[in-house]
Amino acid sequence: MSSVSIASRDKGMNHRDYRISQDIDAMASQIQRDACTSSERSSAESSASCAPTSRTLWPILVAAARAAVQRDPLLAAVYRRYLFDASDFAAALARIIADTLTTPELPNEVALARIETTLKDAPTIVTAAERDLITLLREDAAIPEPFTPLLFFPGYRAVQCHRIANQWWREGLTDLASYIQYRVAVQFSADIHPAATLGSGLFVDHGAGIVIGETVVIEDDVTLFHGITLGSAGKLNGDRHPKVRRGAFLGAGATVLGNIEIGENARIGAGAVVTRTVTAGATVIGPAAKPR
């Protein structure tokens, strides 16, 4: 993963006048200051220079949830479970992911224990989840509260579950990873192969209908709207899926096929079908299919 960059990306979208904009801006500035000075980073995190911590983000989430309960207590138990009773962002994330995996055959306490262990052993998963959340708070005009993506956005939650699946896949626990893939597909309508490589600071809007193949690589600060397919062009094995570089934007319903590259800051229009490499900074629109 690369160094922290939480500046807003130009996606041709108007940013709303956040009711919590001052808090978010302060949080962003503090994270930038903290990133290179934290003495708590483990050796596993050393490859991610200037990674953010949960120190500043977490109090904002909890305070916003307490204010929400004061306005209307209907969801108090939800906020209690995921925020008030959790010790920090990592603990909240573990509870949320564990609940996605829970079935009568897999009790919640068993799933939670395994997720907590994984997050402890791979803290960069938490770092990436924080960056994803900060990106959404800075750029999504539809977010009413800072905790909303963490608790209620299927796209955000699908990506965080995938991070656990990817860790398990790389550890050789392919059956467990595939189970997460299945649960995410059932609950969030997003099918992400556990082997796919996802960066951080991702803006995954809605998440419904997204299909991401096995050898896909998505770098940091990429935007993915609903209905996107990153698939193979027919090759059955080997490296056969797209590589999406930093800052790229893929509009709703875009289909990108084959082991091709979507260059840095490239923009793929909604509904486009892409079968050839797109150079950095380029914009492509429209379907590739032609009548015979």
Side-chain angles (χ1 to χ4, degrees):
M1 294 182 187
S2 61
S3 61
V4 174
S5 175
I6 56 178
S8 297
R9 300 189 294 278
D10 179 11
K11 299 183 176 61
M13 301 168 59
N14 291 325
H15 295 180
R16 74 180 172 96
D17 182 13
Y18 283 103
R19 181 165 51 79
I20 56 166
S21 60
Q22 291 184 339
D23 288 338
I24 297 300
D25 288 343
M27 173 186 67
S29 299
Q30 185 63 49
I31 285 176
Q32 293 282 24
R33 290 194 296 271
D34 290 346
C36 295
T37 60
S38 173
S39 61
E40 299 171 357
R41 284 182 295 166
S42 69
S43 59
E45 294 174 290
S46 61
S47 61
S49 61
C50 302
T53 72
S54 62
R55 249 185 347 222
T56 319
L57 175 60
W58 180 244
I60 291 176
L61 300 180
V62 173
R66 294 195 185 282
V69 172
Q70 290 296 317
R71 291 193 302 272
D72 192 313
L74 183 63
L75 295 180
V78 174
Y79 302 138
R80 182 179 306 110
R81 171 164 177 75
Y82 296 120
L83 297 173
F84 305 154
D85 289 348
S87 58
D88 55 19
F89 184 87
L93 186 66
R95 293 180 178 213
I96 290 166
I97 295 174
D99 279 5
T100 303
L101 306 186
T102 297
T103 66
E105 295 75 30
L106 179 57
N108 184 263
E109 60 270 19
V110 176
L112 179 59
R114 178 61 70 91
I115 298 299
E116 288 174 337
T117 298
T118 299
L119 294 180
K120 181 178 179 180
D121 293 341
T124 52
I125 294 174
V126 179
T127 297
E130 290 170 338
R131 283 210 64 214
D132 292 345
L133 180 54
I134 292 168
T135 295
L136 284 163
L137 293 177
R138 294 295 299 267
E139 299 186 24
D140 193 333
I143 296 176
E145 300 292 345
F147 56 76
T148 300
L150 178 66
L151 300 184
F152 307 135
F153 273 22
Y156 177 86
R157 291 183 58 167
V159 168
Q160 309 323 317
C161 289
H162 166 77
R163 298 192 192 284
I164 296 291
N166 180 255
Q167 179 67 26
W168 287 353
W169 185 273
R170 290 187 288 108
E171 292 175 0
L173 304 173
T174 54
D175 55 333
L176 303 186
S178 296
Y179 175 74
I180 295 184
Q181 179 186 7
Y182 160 72
R183 293 293 297 168
V184 167
V186 168
Q187 294 201 29
F188 306 127
S189 298
D191 193 353
I192 309 174
H193 194 286
T197 301
L198 273 58
S200 65
L202 301 182
F203 184 108
V204 179
D205 200 35
H206 305 297
I210 286 179
V211 177
I212 298 176
E214 178 183 9
T215 60
V216 166
V217 174
I218 300 174
E219 294 185 350
D220 294 351
D221 306 321
V222 167
T223 296
L224 301 172
F225 275 76
H226 54 281
I228 288 170
T229 297
L230 301 177
S232 169
K235 187 178 179 181
L236 298 180
N237 50 49
D239 195 352
R240 60 196 185 279
H241 295 104
K243 311 298 178 280
V244 183
R245 302 307 180 193
R246 173 190 286 272
F249 173 97
L250 280 70
T255 299
V256 184
L257 301 176
N259 185 16
I260 61 174
E261 183 169 306
I262 307 301
E264 286 193 12
N265 299 311
R267 300 169 69 86
I268 311 300
V273 178
V274 182
T275 58
R276 296 181 181 180
T277 288
V278 178
T279 58
T283 298
V284 297
I285 60 174
K290 298 179 181 179
R292 292 188 174 184

